[in-house]
Amino acid sequence: MAFYSEKVMEHFANPRNVGEIKDADGVGEVGNPVCGDMMTFYIKVKDDKLDDVKFKTFGCGAAIAVSSMVAEMAKGKTLDEAMLLTNAQVAEALGGLPPNKMHCSNLGADALHKAIENYKSKGK
Ligand code: FES
């Protein structure tokens, strides 16, 4: 059975950047009403760059791997660069996802973008 790529399995087994940033500059939460999975991203911004990115994901293995990959890809990027990160790029970086798991990858970049929008809405 090869439903998941090695990269997905690896990020699922060893997710990076799990947790919450207590004094986060921005928080973004998205959920999928069908499966009930939820993802929250926390960001710390410094000099217009993502200084730190953490997440909490209540979801399936693919959602956890996606969160881990998004956090890793986003860290160190400028806010504008991070806004350009797409769900498709994340799925690709994970070596693809099974078709019935593509919706899981749709949560990742969306949650990150929401956290950035939340930061911007504070007018800092
Ligand atoms: Fe819904 Fe994975 S099954 S996010």
Side-chain angles (χ1 to χ4, degrees):
M1 286 212 300
F3 290 128
Y4 289 117
S5 71
E6 254 171 54
K7 262 234 138 87
V8 172
M9 294 306 285
E10 206 268 316
H11 274 267
F12 169 61
N14 306 292
R16 334 289 198 257
N17 310 298
V18 179
E20 186 177 335
I21 301 176
K22 289 271 179 239
D23 55 344
D25 295 322
V27 180
E29 188 177 77
V30 292
N32 183 303
V34 179
C35 63
D37 288 359
M38 275 172 48
M39 206 179 268
T40 309
F41 265 81
Y42 304 86
I43 57 169
K44 254 333 226 188
V45 182
K46 202 171 156 192
D47 300 330
D48 210 40
K49 282 197 174 134
L50 290 171
D51 196 42
D52 201 8
V53 182
K54 286 209 182 331
F55 71 88
K56 281 208 300 208
T57 292
F58 185 82
C60 70
I64 290 169
V66 163
S67 314
S68 171
M69 182 55 95
V70 167
E72 204 162 77
M73 288 170 89
K75 243 192 207 180
K77 281 200 176 14
T78 66
L79 297 181
D80 287 347
E81 284 166 353
M83 283 306 277
L84 295 176
L85 192 69
T86 66
N87 293 319
Q89 285 168 345
V90 176
E92 198 182 310
L94 282 169
L97 282 166
N100 65 338
K101 286 285 169 182
M102 280 312 282
H103 83 269
C104 315
S105 75
N106 291 340
L107 298 178
D110 289 356
L112 175 74
H113 295 163
K114 268 203 175 174
I116 294 172
E117 278 158 16
N118 175 243
Y119 163 76
K120 285 189 173 166
S121 73
K122 295 179 184 171
K124 282 193 195 170

